[in-house]
Amino acid sequence: MKLFIDGDQGRAICDHCKKMVSLTFKRRDVPFSDKKGLAHDILVGVCDECDQVVSIPAQSTPSISESRRKALRSIEVRLPAIYLDMLDLAAFTVEPDSKPDFRKDLLCYYIHDLAQDPKGIQRLLSAHKLSLVSYAVNTVKIPSRRLSMKVPDKLKAELRRLEDESELNTTDLMKSVVFDIQREVLQKPKPVKIKALRYLALVAG
Ligand SMILES: [Zn+2]
């Protein structure tokens, strides 16, 4: 595949001039493929005679594709405060300088990791058991906190699949994910995971 740069020349049929014309690659604002809004400074072939866009090179299609800008899905749960403390402690342990939002990245990473792991459901169910024995018998009422995050479509689908296969509801599933995180980050740190998570903390946000 050829990559074009600003100022490159080419030829194409121009719909406006109704003939073969010479074109020059320039940056223009182009409508997204779903026509909702404009993508800015996209490299396109512009007719040298009428100045209309006559071709969009392959390298520019990702920037204008609608799938790239699909709305994020939201996940909302209420968790006992202790789970958010656990998550924050794990985020802090991975990277003390991480941003407050890193705990959400950490959750997303683990949802994806559990969805990809052939033993993911086993891991979830054992984490769930652990969460039950650790906090269910507590007689003191633990206050709960709201956790809301925006995630890509595909991650939301992975979460749904984990829910279906584990037969846990969203709240119990998220509790189990947090417990899995605390197991792998705090209790028995897994060096490979910690390394990947440190990198994530570095590039996130
Ligand atoms: Zn033209």
Side-chain angles (χ1 to χ4, degrees):
M1 186 184 95
K2 180 165 168 44
L3 285 169
F4 297 97
I5 56 166
D6 308 64
D8 276 354
Q9 304 273 311
R11 293 182 70 74
I13 306 268
C14 175
D15 277 349
H16 186 250
C17 301
K18 306 216 182 304
K19 60 173 183 178
M20 181 67 83
V21 295
S22 67
L23 62 84
T24 306
F25 285 99
K26 294 176 184 172
R27 303 273 160 188
R28 287 288 158 85
D29 293 348
V30 183
F32 285 111
S33 49
D34 61 359
K35 310 280 183 242
K36 291 177 186 154
L38 289 178
H40 297 289
D41 284 331
I42 308 302
L43 191 73
V44 289
V46 175
C47 173
D48 287 338
E49 291 178 35
C50 70
D51 208 41
Q52 305 259 358
V53 175
V54 287
S55 88
I56 295 173
Q59 75 203 58
S60 295
T61 39
S63 317
I64 60 170
S65 114
E66 60 186 298
S67 63
R68 290 281 295 268
R69 52 193 293 271
K70 270 214 179 108
L72 295 170
R73 307 278 160 182
S74 61
I75 296 176
E76 305 258 350
V77 277
R78 285 194 77 85
L79 296 178
I82 180 75
Y83 286 86
L84 293 180
D85 292 347
M86 223 186 277
L87 193 56
D88 278 339
L89 183 60
F92 183 81
T93 304
V94 166
E95 176 52 65
D97 291 333
S98 61
K99 304 207 169 95
D101 259 4
F102 178 59
R103 66 183 188 184
K104 293 178 185 174
D105 298 322
L106 198 56
L107 266 178
C108 288
Y109 177 95
Y110 266 87
I111 291 168
H112 180 65
D113 184 63
L114 284 157
Q116 298 301 315
D117 183 350
K119 291 189 173 161
I121 299 300
Q122 249 170 280
R123 257 168 76 192
L124 267 178
L125 293 177
S126 82
H128 179 59
K129 248 188 226 163
L130 210 59
S131 75
L132 288 180
V133 296
S134 305
Y135 298 112
V137 290
N138 210 317
T139 48
V140 182
K141 182 145 176 43
I142 303 171
S144 69
R145 298 265 152 73
R146 190 167 150 270
L147 177 75
S148 88
M149 48 198 235
K150 299 262 183 221
V151 302
D153 241 5
K154 278 189 181 162
L155 198 86
K156 179 99 182 196
E158 287 184 330
L159 185 72
R160 287 271 164 274
R161 185 163 62 77
L162 289 174
E163 277 175 28
D164 288 348
E165 290 178 16
S166 66
E167 296 179 349
L168 296 172
N169 62 34
T170 311
T171 307
D172 282 341
L173 182 84
M174 292 301 259
K175 282 187 191 171
S176 309
V177 174
V178 174
F179 238 95
D180 190 53
I181 294 173
Q182 86 89 34
R183 213 165 33 180
E184 294 200 346
V185 174
L186 301 173
Q187 224 172 26
K188 277 189 183 169
K190 286 202 162 175
V192 179
K193 288 269 174 70
I194 306 278
K195 202 176 158 193
L197 292 170
R198 289 223 162 101
Y199 178 68
L200 185 66
L202 185 76
V203 298

